[in-house]
Amino acid sequence: MDYESWTKDELIAKLRSLDVKCNEHVKRPPSGSVSPGSTPLADPAPPSDPAPSSDPASPAPPRKRKGRMVDFDFSRFPQRKVAFKFSYLGWPYHGLARQGNSLTSEEKHQIELTYPTVEGALFKALAHCKLITSETTCDYSRCGRTDRGVSGFGQVVAMYVRSTGKFITEEEARVIVDAGQEHLIIRDAQNGGRPVLLPSNEHELTYINMLNKSLPPEIRIHAWSPVAPSFSARFSCKSRFYRYFFPQSGLDIQAMQEAAKRYEGAHDFRNFCRLDPAKQIKNFERIVQSAQITRVSGQVKFVGDGQSEEGVWWQLELRGTAFLWHQVRCMMAVLFAVGQRLETPDVVDHMMDIQMTNGKPEYEMASDLPLVLADCAFDEKDVKWIRVRSPGRDSTNMVVLDRIVSKTWGELNTQAVIASALLQTVRDTQAPMLCERGSMDINYSLWSECRKQLLEADTQTVRVILGGGAIKQAKKYTPIMQRNRAEPVELRNQAWLERKTANKRARTDE
């Protein structure tokens, strides 16, 4: 067809007709096919049963057997690359990252059942909704890898998923490009180089609704965004924002704030992380854009300050471009030591001086439970988050999200209140107070008073706060800079390489 001779109005009319056909393809799939917006696994619904007879003597119509599950034909649908922003509560899971390809490997599937991960649940939901063909072919990337017990409020992943878009011919693609609408077309290797006409956001699959119906309540999809084929959730991220929650509990907050400020800037954090020689990391410099300790009640209205220090909550707010393995938990462990006046804020400077401290001192990192990956930041030109299907006209996704998260909060808050009431019951119990050796006079008092007396009398035990309710008791506290140290990073990396070479040589000789 000679489009070059067409007028502008004729080209626009042709474009509109193509758009109407695309919408009809979405709304009315061919007979016997699976609609992109419908449940993909079931056969088309059979004709409705005839109305039951009014004659009581007539036999009931026989029940029809449910349709047989058929294989889903992914080749009928184009794919597009999208990013998902989601939250999860980390304590039911053994970290974010899945244990290999659990969808196709039976061995990995069994590992996933024993040690469930957030990604394992996510991929299971993606497969159930028929959004991906496999874990290995969807170009999957994650922004930040969180460890066991760590939660996320703004985690981001990216991948290719099924779309309601339409495969079009090269001729149709030229018409759309000539009309100045080339942004409506994608053409990439995932679709075999074929041009794909993208649907409007309102006519795209309801990704948020579909996935949240298949995910457990502690994992929630918040938003999705179309992204470019070159987009990577990991390498396109500009900054990551962490929060670590802790009660005041006698801590010197001002000293902790002073120490936290020393983390800001570009520093070598090799003494604030866990080294994995297998990765052969040689550059431990990371940029911390901001590190501050603020009061929680000013930002989280659902947490109120109590009358005791245990009810006053604070948080470390940490923003940086990237972080090392266990870096935030190690940084927090040092801040706890400063807050207990076991260390001075100068210890941060000493540990970041690799000439003075060329080898990580032995110390236990802070608990994983209070740590949250709160947000991941991207350029606005790369990501435009979509939270509802029709902005200004539809709020269903947000209403459902709020309802599920409110229910989760209500359940956990109720558990916290019950545990608090139990603790108060224990503290209000009448218990015998300590008396002098040989004395027969035993006086009773509230256990809270007896406990206070015991803690004041016990000057030999040091209680080191690790966060999340964890406390390590020791007879003596050794300052961090005086403790035994690991070998320098360079030596540990070299030793691992030598072991790997020796093992490879031994297998070759066999």
Side-chain angles (χ1 to χ4, degrees):
M1 190 173 291
D2 185 15
Y3 290 110
E4 294 181 356
S5 62
W6 286 31
T7 65
K8 180 180 178 181
D9 291 338
E10 290 173 334
L11 287 171
I12 292 176
K14 178 65 174 178
L15 179 62
R16 286 175 175 169
S17 68
L18 289 173
D19 187 49
V20 170
K21 290 180 180 179
C22 180
N23 290 339
E24 290 177 350
H25 169 76
V26 173
K27 294 178 180 179
R28 294 189 296 274
S31 176
S33 66
V34 181
S35 170
S38 65
T39 303
L41 294 178
D43 283 337
S48 58
D49 293 334
S53 171
S54 58
D55 183 4
S58 62
R63 288 188 177 183
K64 292 191 175 181
R65 298 176 62 182
K66 291 185 178 180
R68 181 176 57 86
M69 305 296 282
V70 297
D71 291 335
F72 188 81
D73 184 8
F74 274 98
S75 65
R76 295 180 52 249
F77 302 96
Q79 300 178 51
R80 70 186 303 182
K81 196 167 190 181
V82 302
F84 291 114
K85 172 174 279 193
F86 65 103
S87 65
Y88 52 91
L89 300 178
W91 47 85
Y93 297 96
H94 290 254
L96 169 73
R98 67 197 187 284
Q99 308 297 325
N101 192 332
S102 59
L103 293 183
T104 59
S105 170
E106 181 60 30
E107 179 183 359
K108 297 298 183 182
H109 176 67
Q110 292 302 322
I111 294 176
E112 182 67 34
L113 291 177
T114 306
Y115 304 101
T117 62
V118 176
E119 279 185 357
L122 178 61
F123 274 107
K124 184 178 179 181
L126 288 164
H128 176 76
C129 296
K130 300 299 182 185
L131 291 179
I132 61 172
T133 55
S134 73
E135 298 178 47
T136 56
T137 60
C138 63
D139 193 23
Y140 177 80
S141 62
R142 71 175 77 90
C143 182
R145 179 170 180 163
T146 55
D147 300 314
R148 174 180 177 178
V150 178
S151 299
F153 292 167
Q155 179 68 269
V156 174
V157 296
M159 72 197 79
Y160 276 92
V161 295
R162 176 168 60 92
S163 169
T164 59
K166 176 186 177 184
F167 287 117
I168 58 177
T169 64
E170 294 292 346
E171 189 176 19
E172 291 172 328
R174 282 195 298 271
V175 173
I176 297 174
V177 172
D178 292 342
Q181 301 293 321
E182 59 272 9
H183 64 279
L184 297 178
I185 299 176
I186 60 170
R187 190 195 304 265
D188 52 31
Q190 197 74 10
N191 292 297
R194 300 168 62 186
V196 175
L197 178 62
L198 293 174
S200 64
N201 292 335
E202 292 187 16
H203 291 98
E204 186 52 278
L205 290 174
T206 56
Y207 294 124
I208 299 175
N209 184 45
M210 291 170 65
L211 288 172
N212 280 341
K213 283 184 177 180
S214 298
L215 287 167
E218 63 270 8
I219 304 177
R220 294 288 93 188
I221 305 292
H222 290 230
W224 74 278
S225 171
V227 294
S230 59
F231 179 85
S232 167
R234 178 183 178 187
F235 296 110
S236 300
C237 181
K238 299 304 179 183
S239 67
R240 295 161 175 84
F241 179 48
Y242 284 91
R243 300 164 76 181
Y244 194 102
F245 298 91
F246 60 94
Q248 185 163 328
S249 300
L251 295 170
D252 186 339
I253 300 298
Q254 185 174 354
M256 295 178 71
Q257 291 171 330
E258 180 184 346
K261 279 296 177 185
R262 303 188 185 213
Y263 287 133
E264 295 182 346
H267 301 286
D268 190 307
F269 285 95
R270 67 182 61 197
N271 294 322
F272 292 90
C273 71
R274 182 175 177 182
L275 178 66
D276 182 3
K279 294 184 178 179
Q280 291 292 292
I281 297 176
K282 298 178 181 177
N283 179 17
F284 292 87
E285 183 174 293
R286 297 293 185 271
I287 299 175
V288 173
Q289 298 165 330
S290 65
Q292 55 183 342
I293 292 177
T294 60
R295 200 159 179 165
V296 171
S297 60
Q299 299 182 31
V300 184
K301 297 181 179 180
F302 294 97
V303 177
D305 288 346
Q307 297 179 352
S308 64
E309 286 191 340
E310 287 79 2
V312 182
W313 282 80
W314 297 79
Q315 62 184 342
L316 168 67
E317 297 182 303
L318 195 64
R319 187 180 298 277
T321 54
F323 293 87
L324 297 163
W325 189 21
H326 289 162
Q327 179 181 338
V328 181
R329 293 171 62 187
C330 289
M331 294 168 69
M332 196 65 218
V334 175
L335 290 180
F336 277 140
V338 171
Q340 289 187 266
R341 303 180 186 86
L342 300 172
E343 303 282 352
T344 63
D346 293 337
V347 70
V348 174
D349 299 323
H350 297 159
M351 293 179 68
M352 289 192 295
D353 186 344
I354 62 173
Q355 301 301 323
M356 177 186 295
T357 316
N358 189 17
K360 181 185 175 184
E362 294 178 352
Y363 65 93
E364 191 167 348
M365 60 185 173
S367 168
D368 50 33
L369 183 62
L371 180 58
V372 175
L373 174 59
D375 196 21
C376 303
F378 299 86
D379 280 343
E380 291 185 1
K381 63 180 180 63
D382 294 334
V383 175
K384 298 184 185 301
W385 294 116
I386 300 169
R387 300 182 183 275
V388 295
R389 189 163 193 174
S390 302
R393 300 191 301 274
D394 173 53
S395 299
T396 303
N397 291 340
M398 293 302 299
V399 170
V400 175
L401 176 65
D402 186 275
R403 183 173 70 243
I404 298 299
V405 175
S406 296
K407 181 176 182 294
T408 302
W409 173 81
E411 292 173 350
L412 295 176
N413 195 45
T414 301
Q415 293 176 14
V417 170
I418 292 174
S420 300
L422 174 59
L423 179 59
Q424 189 63 47
T425 300
V426 173
R427 297 284 172 86
D428 289 343
T429 300
Q430 290 285 333
M433 299 185 66
L434 293 179
C435 58
E436 296 181 1
R437 186 178 297 274
S439 174
M440 300 300 294
D441 296 329
I442 300 178
N443 297 318
Y444 285 80
S445 181
L446 294 178
W447 169 243
S448 57
E449 296 296 328
C450 298
R451 177 177 176 272
K452 182 179 180 181
Q453 180 187 30
L454 289 172
L455 292 176
E456 291 175 350
D458 185 7
T459 58
Q460 304 299 318
T461 303
V462 179
R463 296 169 179 82
V464 181
I465 295 175
L466 297 175
I471 296 178
K472 182 179 180 180
Q473 300 192 54
K475 292 296 182 182
K476 178 183 178 182
Y477 181 83
T478 302
I480 291 178
M481 297 302 295
Q482 298 178 18
R483 299 182 188 181
N484 295 331
R485 300 178 185 177
E487 289 184 329
V489 168
E490 296 78 7
L491 294 180
R492 296 178 66 185
N493 282 341
Q494 182 61 32
W496 184 89
L497 279 177
E498 291 175 355
R499 289 195 303 270
K500 181 180 179 182
T501 303
N503 292 336
K504 185 177 180 180
R505 188 182 299 115
R507 288 194 299 268
T508 303
D509 293 341
E510 291 177 355

